[in-house]
């Protein structure tokens, strides 16, 4: 009887070790999410240069707002919707990490849009395909961990602004320790699509030259 119990326990441990993602697999998923996002952001940055909008503070803030939305999904998962209102743990997390209160509304819009996509069947299918590609056992826990790493990778790409936005005057944004000379209209959410998470067309429109103004508004 003791022998049977030991064999059963060994079989359980073997199955658990197979189902648990390794650190190497998690790192690969993180790098996949980050690199894909960096590729898209690179295209957007080049488009901005074509239209003479390199160094625009609005582009930098768009990236940071979307980045923090993904960071919330990575940190708290998709099964609960954060209100980002007073008393919300998500809001506390943002403020603790130095996110300006003035950007919370835009982050909320991004967060809700990305969460809606993240709980869709098409997103789940995409995660399953990635897990198959990286030879990861398809379990509920592994799918959640895989999604979190993808979100974390996208957030890392969006929040790394030093090289991509090196020409931006950091004194124009509270994100980077500056002030806010003008009030902005709420941003349009950066909705994700399974085959193209960020709309380059929308950012191309953003890159179109516009008259000089102290009031900075986001395109509809």
């Amino acid at each position: 009887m003791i022998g049977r119990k030991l064999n059963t326990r060994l079989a359980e441990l073997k199955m658990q070790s197979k189902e648990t993602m390794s650190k190497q697999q998690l790192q690969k998923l993180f790098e996949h999410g980050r690199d894909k996002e960096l590729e898209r952001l690179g295209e957007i940055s080049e488009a901005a240069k074509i239209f003479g909008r390199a160094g625009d503070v609005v582009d930098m803030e768009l990236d940071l707002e979307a980045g923090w939305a993904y960071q919330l999904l990575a940190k708290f998962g998709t099964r609960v919707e954060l209100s980002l209102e007073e008393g919300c743990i998500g809001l506390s997390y943002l403020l603790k990490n130095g996110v300006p209160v003035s950007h919370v509304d835009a982050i909320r819009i991004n967060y809700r849009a990305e969460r809606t996509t993240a709980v869709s069947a098409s997103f789940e299918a995409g995660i399953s395909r990635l897990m198959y590609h990286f030879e990861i056992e398809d379990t509920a826990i592994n799918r959640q961990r895989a999604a979190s790493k993808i979100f974390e990778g996208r957030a890392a790409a969006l929040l790394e602004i030093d090289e991509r936005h090196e020409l931006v005057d950091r004194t124009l944004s509270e994100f980077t320790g500056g002030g806010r000379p003008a009030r902005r209209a709420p941003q349009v959410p950066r909705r994700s699509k399974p085959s193209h998470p960020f709309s380059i067309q929308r950012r191309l429109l953003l890159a179109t030259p516009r008259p000089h103004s102290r009031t900075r508004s986001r395109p509809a």
Side-chain angles (χ1 to χ4, degrees), residues 9-216:
R9 182 56 181 159
L10 287 172
E12 290 174 350
L13 290 173
K14 183 178 181 181
M15 180 173 294
Q16 289 174 359
S17 65
K18 179 181 179 182
E19 292 180 352
T20 302
M21 297 170 66
S22 67
K23 290 182 178 180
Q24 290 78 13
Q25 289 171 321
L26 288 170
Q27 182 64 23
K28 286 180 180 179
L29 286 170
F30 170 83
E31 292 174 356
H32 176 84
R34 180 199 62 197
D35 293 348
K36 287 291 185 181
E37 192 57 41
L38 285 173
E39 181 180 344
R40 279 184 281 269
L41 291 171
E43 293 178 11
I44 292 169
S45 294
E46 292 304 315
K49 294 177 184 177
I50 292 173
F51 294 103
R53 284 178 48 81
D56 194 302
V57 66
V58 175
D59 289 345
M60 182 189 76
E61 291 186 334
L62 280 168
D63 285 355
L64 292 173
E65 288 162 354
W68 280 109
Y70 273 127
Q71 190 66 18
L72 288 172
L73 290 171
K75 187 74 174 178
F76 297 99
T78 61
R79 299 306 173 184
V80 60
E81 182 173 359
L82 302 171
S83 68
L84 301 187
E85 302 287 352
E86 185 177 355
C88 174
I89 188 173
L91 177 61
S92 299
Y93 174 77
L94 292 177
L95 299 181
K96 182 179 179 180
N97 283 277
V99 174
V101 174
S102 57
H103 287 272
V104 170
D105 285 345
I107 293 171
R108 184 188 297 111
I109 293 172
N110 276 276
Y111 165 77
R112 287 175 176 172
E114 301 303 339
R115 179 180 174 274
T116 297
T117 299
V119 297
S120 67
S122 58
F123 182 85
E124 292 279 352
I127 290 295
S128 294
R129 287 193 297 270
L130 273 179
M131 293 172 66
Y132 177 81
H133 176 74
F134 289 113
E135 299 181 344
I136 299 169
E137 190 76 9
D138 193 354
T139 66
I141 293 177
N142 281 350
R143 283 195 297 274
Q144 178 59 59
R145 296 181 74 190
S148 293
K149 276 300 172 182
I150 293 297
F151 295 143
E152 187 180 330
R154 291 179 182 177
L158 286 156
L159 296 175
E160 181 49 63
I161 59 173
D162 288 345
E163 181 177 350
R164 191 169 61 256
H165 296 293
E166 61 179 342
L167 300 178
V168 172
D169 182 353
R170 303 300 171 87
T171 66
L172 297 178
S173 176
E174 283 187 313
F175 263 126
T176 47
R180 298 182 65 80
R183 183 180 180 85
R184 298 181 308 163
Q187 85 166 75
V188 175
R190 298 169 60 129
R191 285 295 300 271
S192 293
K193 296 181 180 179
S195 61
H196 204 293
F198 291 107
S199 173
I200 292 178
Q201 288 80 4
R202 186 171 63 79
R203 293 293 294 275
L204 284 171
L205 291 174
L206 179 65
T208 303
R210 59 193 176 197
H212 177 72
S213 172
R214 292 287 293 176
T215 302
R216 298 180 298 113

